[in-house]
Amino acid sequence: MNLAYAYPKSRFEPIQLVDLNARAERERLSASALAGFFRLMEAWRVRDEDARELLGGLSSSSFYEWKKKPQRVLEVDRITRVSYLLGIYKSLHILYGDKLADEWVHLPNTNPVFQGRTPLATMLGGGLLAMQTVRRLLDARRGGL
């Protein structure tokens, strides 16, 4: 009897990364990303002007068209922005109660990342990189750092 040794398969398989450069992936994700973005902006009570800026500077007419009909294919930059914002939302709701989680982006923050500004002002001023920084900060807090 010949026994072959093998490591047991983990029940935790690595996550398959999504290639946002693939149009098919963006087609699959865009409508739900936009719907989630608009619900998030409502939960955070973000003004439409600021929401347009968080999307990377969208005209008023396009913004309201997207709001009415979110069935479209987003560019990599925009879908990445939405992903960071939804991750921030999720982290806040894990870290804090619902009320504080939804108000947090409007509260002045003493963390050096924000320099006394609100997280929303920081993200509006710093764009995609600021969103990434806020997301990483909150993920680190969730991890106990």
Side-chain angles (χ1 to χ4, degrees):
M1 186 164 136
N2 186 5
L3 294 176
Y5 291 99
Y7 289 101
K9 261 193 156 180
S10 171
R11 59 189 179 123
F12 301 104
E13 294 296 322
I15 296 170
Q16 187 68 28
L17 296 178
V18 174
D19 179 8
L20 292 179
N21 290 310
R23 183 175 174 85
E25 289 296 333
R26 292 194 325 274
E27 285 174 353
R28 181 177 69 82
L29 297 169
S30 290
S32 59
L34 270 180
F37 172 81
F38 290 121
R39 283 195 304 271
L40 172 59
M41 294 298 102
E42 190 176 304
W44 282 353
R45 295 180 327 278
V46 172
R47 299 175 323 156
D48 288 349
E49 177 183 324
D50 291 339
R52 291 185 0 241
E53 190 61 34
L54 289 171
L55 280 174
L58 195 61
S59 71
S60 291
S61 58
S62 294
F63 179 80
Y64 293 112
E65 179 66 24
W66 289 21
K67 206 170 184 177
K68 250 192 323 192
K69 298 179 194 169
Q71 293 75 22
R72 65 194 64 254
V73 180
L74 296 175
E75 304 89 354
V76 172
D77 177 76
R78 289 205 166 108
I79 205 163
T80 302
R81 288 169 178 271
V82 172
S83 174
Y84 282 140
L85 293 168
L86 292 173
I88 290 166
Y89 175 85
K90 177 182 175 182
S91 290
L92 289 170
H93 280 268
I94 289 170
L95 290 166
Y96 308 116
D98 289 344
K99 185 177 183 324
L100 178 57
D102 289 337
E103 291 174 356
W104 186 84
V105 295
H106 297 285
L107 301 174
N109 198 305
T110 59
N111 185 298
V113 166
F114 304 109
Q115 301 173 349
R117 297 176 296 173
T118 67
L120 180 60
T122 300
M123 291 187 288
L124 288 169
L128 188 60
L129 292 177
M131 291 177 201
Q132 179 186 43
T133 300
V134 173
R135 169 83 187 264
R136 291 174 69 192
L137 172 73
L138 292 170
D139 285 348
R141 285 184 184 167
R142 279 179 46 202
L145 299 178

